C-alpha cells in the first residue's frame, strides 16, 4: 500500500459519477463502461482491476478525454477533476490540464515515445508546453527528472533515442515525462505488464516512491491483483464494463465477496508454488456486441451461478461499511421492490 493517508473529509480529486462510455460498432453504440461511479482522493492509489475487455482502459481514456473521436463517446455521467466538470471543457482547456495536472503512462512505452526524437527532447517538450522555462533550464530539469526515476548517466541518456534503451528504462522515461509537471493525478495503464518480474517490482517501487514524494494520486489499471496488493489503497474490480466489487485493499484480500474477484485471486502467481501455468478463468469476457442485456454479465462463467442470475441484474450494494458488491448471493445486490431489474 502507498503508506500515505487521506482524511475522510478530504474532497475528492477525481469524481466519476454514473459514467457510460460507448463505442460504435456496425452503426450502433454499445457501452464499454456502464454506469460506473468512483472517487479518488488526493494522494490515494486506486486500483482498477479486471481482465482485458472489462472496460478499464476505456475508463482511463474517458477520464483523459482521449477517446477516439470517430467511434467513441461519453453517453452520460460526469467526470470532475478538482471540482471542475471535464465534460464542458474545450480541447484547448483539456490540453492545459492533460500532462500538467493529470498524466498517463501506458503498458508499452515504445508506442507512446516518439522514435525520432531524443529522450531529452521529449521530456523538454512537455516542460515547454506547460511552463515558461528556458532551453537550458529545461535540459537541466530533464536530467534531474531522469535521475529521480533511477536512470544512471542521465546526462548521456537525454541525448539517446527510445530504441537505445531497455524496456524498463523506457518505462522509467515515460514516468519521468508523466511527472515532469508534478501532476496531481497519474493514470498508469498496465505499466508493468510488458516487463520482466524483477523490473516490474522496481517500477512499482518507483511509483510508490514518486507518489509519496510528489503527493500525487494514482489510478493503477491492471489485470493483476498482485500489483494491486503491492501498491493500492482502494480497489475497484470491473467485469464487462461494470463495477462488481469496490473496497479497500486489505478487505478485498481478506474477504473477497464477488465470485469473479475470488477467481482473480486464484490467478495471482505465488512465488513459493511451482506451477506450469497460472490458473485462468474459464471462458471469455462477452464482447460489446454480445453483452447480455439482462442479468449478471458474469453468469456464463460463474461457478456459483443460480438460475435467477440470468434474469435479475445485480446492483452494486454495500454489504459491510465501505465494501460494495454486485452479486445476487448478497441481499444488498437485489433490486428493491418496484425497481427495473434489467
Ligand atoms: Fe455469480 Fe450470480 Fe453472483 Fe453473477 S450474480 S456473480 S452469476 S452468483
Amino acid at each position: 500500500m502507498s503508506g500515505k493517508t487521506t482524511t475522510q473529509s478530504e474532497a475528492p480529486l477525481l469524481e466519476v459519477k454514473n459514467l457510460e462510455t460507448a463505442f460504435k460498432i456496425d452503426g450502433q453504440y454499445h457501452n464499454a463502461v456502464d454506469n460506473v461511479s468512483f472517487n479518488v482522493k488526493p494522494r490515494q492509489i486506486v486500483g482498477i482491476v479486471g481482465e482485458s475487455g472489462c472496460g478499464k482502459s476505456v475508463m482511463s481514456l474517458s477520464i483523459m478525454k482521449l477517446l477516439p473521436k470517430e467511434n467513441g463517446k461519453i453517453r452520460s455521467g460526469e467526470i470532475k477533476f478538482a471540482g471542475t466538470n471535464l465534460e464542458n471543457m474545450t480541447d484547448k482547456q483539456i490540453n492545459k490540464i492533460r500532462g500538467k495536472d493529470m498524466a498517463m503512462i501506458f503498458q508499452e512505452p515504445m508506442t507512446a515515445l516518439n522514435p525520432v526524437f531524443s529522450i531529452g527532447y521529449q521530456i523538454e517538450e512537455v516542460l515547454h508546453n506547460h511552463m515558461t522555462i528556458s532551453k537550458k533550464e529545461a535540459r537541466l530539469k530533464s536530467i534531474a527528472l531522469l535521475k529521480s526515476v533511477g536512470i544512471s548517466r542521465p546526462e548521456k541518456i537525454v541525448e539517446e533515442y527510445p530504441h537505445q534503451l531497455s524496456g524498463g528504462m523506457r518505462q522509467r522515461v515515460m514516468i519521468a515525462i508523466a511527472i515532469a509537471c508534478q501532476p496531481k493525478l497519474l493514470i498508469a495503464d498496465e505499466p508493468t505488464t510488458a516487463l520482466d518480474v524483477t523490473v516490474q517490482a522496481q517500477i512499482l517501487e518507483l511509483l510508490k516512491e514518486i507518489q509519496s514524494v510528489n503527493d500525487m494520486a494514482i489510478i493503477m489499471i491492471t489485470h493483476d491483483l498482485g500489483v494491486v496488493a503491492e501498491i493500492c489503497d482502494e480497489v475497484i474490480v470491473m467485469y464487462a464494463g461494470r463495477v462488481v466489487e469496490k473496497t479497500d485493499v486489505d478487505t478485498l484480500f481478506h474477504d473477497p465477496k464477488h465470485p469473479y474477484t475470488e477467481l482473480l485471486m486464484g490467478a495471482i502467481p505465488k512465488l513459493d508454488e511451482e506451477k506450469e501455468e497460472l490458473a485462468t478463468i474459464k471462458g471469455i469476457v462477452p464482447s460489446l456486441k454480445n453483452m447480455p442485456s439482462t442479468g449478471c454479465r458474469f453468469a456464463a462463467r460463474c461457478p456459483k451461478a443460480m438460475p435467477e442470475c440470468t434474469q435479475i441484474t445485480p446492483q452494486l450494494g454495500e454489504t459491510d461499511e465501505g465494501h460494495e458488491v454486485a452479486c445476487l448471493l448478497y441481499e444488498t445486490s437485489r433490486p428493491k421492490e418496484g425497481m427495473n431489474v434489467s
Side-chain angles (χ1 to χ4, degrees):
M1 281 196 287
S2 72
K4 281 256 169 176
T5 48
T6 54
T7 55
Q8 283 299 321
S9 56
E10 209 162 2
L13 177 64
L14 180 79
E15 294 165 84
V16 176
K17 212 167 158 194
N18 305 120
L19 182 70
E20 287 190 22
T21 303
F23 283 94
K24 200 180 201 174
I25 305 169
D26 297 337
Q28 274 204 322
Y29 277 100
H30 302 267
N31 280 4
V33 170
D34 198 34
N35 197 22
V36 168
S37 302
F38 68 95
N39 289 343
V40 179
K41 288 187 176 169
R43 302 179 298 285
Q44 213 175 28
I45 305 188
V46 176
I48 301 183
V49 68
E51 297 159 283
S52 51
C54 281
K56 317 176 301 276
S57 295
V58 176
M59 174 100 75
S60 56
L61 295 178
S62 308
I63 296 167
M64 294 293 284
K65 292 202 92 177
L66 288 172
L67 289 167
K69 281 202 163 68
E70 59 292 354
N71 65 348
K73 70 169 180 185
I74 292 179
R75 259 181 166 169
S76 61
E78 219 176 57
I79 302 172
K80 276 188 184 172
F81 180 77
T84 306
N85 198 334
L86 299 187
E87 192 53 27
N88 308 327
M89 285 194 174
T90 61
D91 285 352
K92 205 174 160 195
Q93 287 169 318
I94 281 289
N95 282 338
K96 266 193 168 177
I97 291 183
R98 211 164 37 211
K100 183 171 180 289
D101 298 313
M102 289 198 293
M104 190 163 172
I105 53 174
F106 300 89
Q107 180 180 140
E108 184 30 85
M110 207 50 195
T111 52
L113 291 170
N114 193 326
V116 302
F117 292 116
S118 71
I119 300 300
Y121 178 90
Q122 298 189 56
I123 302 176
E124 287 147 35
E125 191 185 21
V126 179
L127 295 171
H128 288 302
N129 280 347
H130 294 290
M131 52 180 81
T132 312
I133 188 168
S134 71
K135 264 188 157 183
K136 196 175 162 202
E137 282 171 330
R139 175 52 47 117
L140 288 174
K141 193 160 167 58
S142 64
I143 291 170
L145 277 162
L146 288 176
K147 205 169 167 201
S148 77
V149 295
I151 287 186
S152 50
R153 300 178 299 116
E155 300 83 0
K156 184 164 182 298
I157 299 295
V158 279
E159 309 283 354
E160 293 191 351
Y161 291 81
H163 73 271
Q164 294 175 278
L165 310 181
S166 67
M169 275 175 83
R170 284 199 289 264
Q171 195 53 285
R172 285 176 192 269
V173 169
M174 271 309 299
I175 295 171
I177 293 174
I179 62 166
C181 299
Q182 296 193 305
K184 296 185 189 80
L185 176 69
L186 176 72
I187 301 180
D189 191 351
E190 304 272 10
T192 60
T193 304
L195 307 171
D196 71 48
V197 182
T198 319
V199 184
Q200 270 188 23
Q202 291 168 357
I203 294 290
L204 288 181
E205 204 45 54
L206 173 66
L207 285 172
K208 268 199 273 188
E209 199 184 301
I210 289 170
Q211 181 265 349
S212 168
V213 172
N214 288 12
D215 269 350
M216 177 177 77
I218 299 179
I219 296 179
M220 173 65 68
I221 291 175
T222 178
H223 65 280
D224 183 351
L225 271 176
V227 169
V228 169
E230 274 298 311
I231 194 169
C232 297
D233 302 309
E234 298 280 326
V235 197
I236 294 162
V237 182
M238 283 188 74
Y239 187 77
R242 290 182 179 159
V243 175
V244 295
E245 186 155 5
K246 187 156 77 165
T247 186
D248 65 87
V249 76
D250 285 340
T251 306
L252 191 90
F253 279 87
H254 290 111
D255 185 23
K257 292 205 184 292
H258 198 283
Y260 181 57
T261 313
E262 289 172 344
L263 289 171
L264 284 177
M265 296 271 182
I268 302 176
K270 292 183 182 61
L271 290 175
D272 53 348
E273 264 179 37
E274 272 192 34
K275 268 193 199 169
E276 291 269 301
E277 264 180 50
L278 262 183
T280 48
I281 306 171
K282 285 198 186 82
I284 50 165
V285 182
S287 68
L288 287 187
K289 271 176 83 176
N290 296 315
M291 212 55 93
S293 58
T294 314
C296 172
R297 291 180 171 178
F298 189 54
R301 303 172 75 190
C302 179
K304 297 183 178 172
M306 307 166 279
E308 60 186 352
C309 294
T310 52
Q311 308 299 321
I312 305 171
T313 304
Q315 316 292 315
L316 197 62
E318 202 169 42
T319 52
D320 304 301
E321 202 191 330
H323 194 166
E324 292 175 64
V325 186
C327 168
L328 296 176
L329 294 170
Y330 305 94
E331 268 315 306
T332 43
S333 289
R334 290 177 180 271
K336 311 265 175 307
E337 201 112 325
M339 217 167 144
N340 188 358
V341 293
S342 63

